[in-house]
Every structure is written in structure tokens, then in C-alpha cells.
Amino acid sequence: MTTAANESLTCHGVAVTLPGVSGPFDILHGLDFSVARGEFVSILGTSGSGKTTLLRVLGGLLPASAGAVHHEGTAVHGPPEGVVTVFQDYAHSLLPWRSVRRNVALGIEATFDRPQRDERVDEALSMVGLAERADEYPWRLSGGMQQRVQIARALAMRPKVLLMDEPFGALDAMTKASLQDQLQKVQELTATTIVFVTHDVEEAVYLSDRVLVLAGSPAAIGLSLDVPLDRPRHQITTKERADYLELRHRVYEALGHDVGVPARTGERGGHD
Ligand SMILES: Nc1ncnc2c1ncn2[C@@H]1O[C@H](COP(=O)(O)OP(=O)(O)OP(=O)(O)O)[C@@H](O)[C@H]1O
Ligand SMILES: [Mg+2]
């Protein structure tokens, strides 16, 4: 197949059917989209709509029942090199008997010798602001710090693509905002392609170049919305902009929320 030079991941006619209690269950159907290199794409959808399933298919952890996924033009069968998944559940993904440094080294131990490993681990820890905590054990760290350790572990592999499944879902609002900004900076530095699953509409619009909303059953892409807001973005000023608010409104609408009045009318009556 031919792939445009700047395409990282592509889905062509991807469908997923999994066994359910009353027979096969169609979860995803007819997914056609691509993610450009260096692009930040969020995936939203109601609970159970198939976001995690889609991320697993993109990461080669689950085969598509129909259609094809390609990474840089090569069909994905099993996890492709350079594509790393970060799961929501950081507490269970860190090994309590290993220091932060040795947790971050986990994905590169078999591939690199000590000096190269140390260099990558130090770089990844400083990107997430945890250079000072390298010799601690993860259970001594806060939830937000533990999630940063998991992200550092992924960064130490210098991935081309990061697939993130609600990585900030379990964190309080302040920690979440600070990790969002850290992730923005990391992406600015590394130009990593990021596919980011979230429940949080504000987070998706704030971080993304494009937001995809899964809709229907089986789910397909109900909305693909470009987010042309200037970067770097700012937690207060970006979120006060009229164009940010309109994008947010359109995503809520695509998720089936009652948004009061249609965007652009300028009339009062919205409740969000
Ligand atoms: N291994 C599996 N076998 C059978 N069905 C599954 C399996 N994993 C998920 N499903 C079903 O697929 C559908 C989509 O699940 P998925 O976890 O992808 O949703 P989600 O959008 O990530 O939800 P949430 O927002 O709650 O995380 C659900 O109906 C779920 O029950
Ligand atoms: Mg999920």
C-alpha cells in the first residue's frame, strides 16, 4: 500500500468484533483515518464506546477483525517497533521493588548497555521533572509523580508514537493541568506522534491538533475536528478564547450532550 510521507498511523476499514455473552459483538466498524507524524490526536467517546479497544488495535495488541492498520506504511501485526502504549493504571505498572531509575530503564534494559541506558533514563526523567527522585522507590511518590515515572519509561524508549489511554484520568485537577503542560512541552521537544484517549472534553481540545469522537454502535468516527489553536497553549488564556469555547461546544454536541443552543448563535441559554 502507498502511504503519504508524513503519515504515521493509518486505519483502513477497521472493524472489531469480540465475543460477547450473547454471541459476537460488533464494537468498532468502518474506521478510516490517519494520524500524521508529530500530530496530537485525541479520541473521545462515551464509556464502552471502544476507545481502549481502538488504542489496542493501533498498538498491535489486538488484531482488527476486518480492515488494516499501518504504521509508517507497514501493516501492524503485533506491537510495531517505536509504538509504545501508556496505560491509565500507573500504580500497577510500576515495580515496587525497583527504584524510579530502574523502573524507567525497564523497557530498554535488554537493548542498551549501561552508559546509553543511563543517558536515556536521565533525559526521560528530566523531561517529566523527576530527575531529583531517580533513586527513590515509586511507592514513596504521589500518584501524579508515579504517572510521570510511567511516562518517563515510555519516553526512555524514544518512541515515534505514544498511545495513551486516559493517562491523567485518576489525577486531581491541578496535577492533571500540570501534567498536560508537561506533555505539551515533551511533544514540542521530541515531535512524538501522540494518540490520547480521554473522557475529558476540555483536556482533548486543549492538547490536540485534532479530536476524533467515536459514536454509534458499533462505533465509527462521528466527528473529526481540527483544533487550530496557537501553541504553546495556556491553561487560562487558551481556555478563555472564543474559538476554544466553540470547539469545546462542538465536541460536547458530538458526544450527545444537550448544549442548550447551537454554537455560533450567540444567544444565551447554554448551561455548560
Ligand atoms: N476482551 C474483551 N472481550 C469482549 N468484549 C470486550 C473486551 N474488551 C472490551 N470489550 C467490550 O468492548 C466494548 C468497548 O470497550 P472499551 O474498553 O474499548 O470501551 P472504552 O470506550 O475504552 O470505555 P471506557 O471509557 O469505560 O474506558 C465494551 O462493550 C466492552 O464490554
Ligand atoms: Mg477505556
Side-chain angles (χ1 to χ4, degrees):
M1 80 152 254
T2 55
T3 305
N6 69 337
E7 276 178 359
S8 171
L9 287 167
T10 58
C11 281
H12 287 291
V14 166
V16 174
T17 301
L18 289 174
V21 275
S22 43
F25 180 56
D26 295 329
I27 294 163
L28 299 170
H29 179 76
L31 294 185
D32 281 301
F33 66 92
S34 62
V35 179
R37 287 189 189 157
E39 193 178 17
F40 195 122
V41 173
S42 285
I43 297 172
L44 282 160
T46 52
S47 182
S49 58
K51 304 179 294 296
T52 297
T53 304
L54 174 55
L55 212 63
R56 292 178 66 211
V57 170
L58 291 175
L61 301 170
L62 176 74
S65 315
V69 177
H70 288 79
H71 173 242
E72 300 199 339
T74 304
V76 168
H77 300 290
E81 203 183 320
V83 178
V84 174
T85 304
V86 174
F87 298 98
Q88 174 174 8
D89 192 1
Y90 51 83
H92 289 102
S93 75
L94 300 177
L95 303 176
W97 60 89
R98 281 184 167 231
S99 65
V100 165
R101 168 182 297 287
R102 296 196 56 234
N103 265 286
V104 173
L106 207 57
I108 55 172
E109 272 173 351
T111 348
F112 295 102
D113 57 18
R114 187 70 192 269
Q116 281 177 302
R117 210 159 68 208
D118 285 351
E119 186 192 324
R120 282 170 171 246
V121 168
D122 289 343
E123 179 192 82
L125 279 171
S126 65
M127 272 196 266
V128 300
L130 281 180
E132 313 282 292
R133 312 301 287 263
D135 299 316
E136 298 240 25
Y137 285 92
W139 42 269
R140 283 187 197 275
L141 304 181
S142 70
M145 286 175 185
Q146 290 181 36
Q147 184 57 305
R148 278 145 70 190
V149 175
Q150 206 206 161
I151 294 170
R153 176 194 289 167
L155 294 174
M157 293 187 244
R158 298 198 184 150
K160 289 185 175 175
V161 181
L162 265 183
L163 303 175
M164 308 182 91
D165 194 0
E166 300 195 45
F168 309 146
L171 305 173
D172 68 274
M174 296 273 284
T175 309
K176 193 182 205 182
S178 118
L179 290 203
Q180 288 167 353
D181 289 340
Q182 222 152 19
L183 186 63
Q184 274 202 92
K185 284 201 190 108
V186 167
Q187 207 206 10
E188 200 186 317
L189 275 171
T190 60
T192 308
T193 306
I194 299 180
V195 181
F196 188 96
V197 165
T198 178
H199 267 121
D200 181 333
V201 175
E202 283 77 13
E203 175 170 76
V205 176
Y206 181 67
L207 287 173
S208 305
D209 297 311
R210 191 153 47 104
V211 175
L212 302 178
V213 178
L214 292 181
S217 182
I221 306 288
L223 175 74
S224 171
L225 184 69
D226 287 328
V227 182
L229 300 168
D230 296 342
R231 292 186 184 273
R233 296 178 185 166
H234 185 274
Q235 292 286 353
I236 309 289
T237 51
T238 300
K239 291 179 179 175
E240 287 169 348
R241 292 174 58 110
D243 43 1
Y244 167 86
L245 293 171
E246 185 181 326
L247 291 162
R248 173 178 171 273
H249 187 122
R250 290 184 57 192
V251 176
Y252 271 115
E253 222 162 31
L255 285 165
H257 285 261
D258 175 8
V259 289
V261 290
R264 280 185 252 251
T265 63
E267 289 166 20
R268 299 188 62 222
H271 62 231
D272 58 342

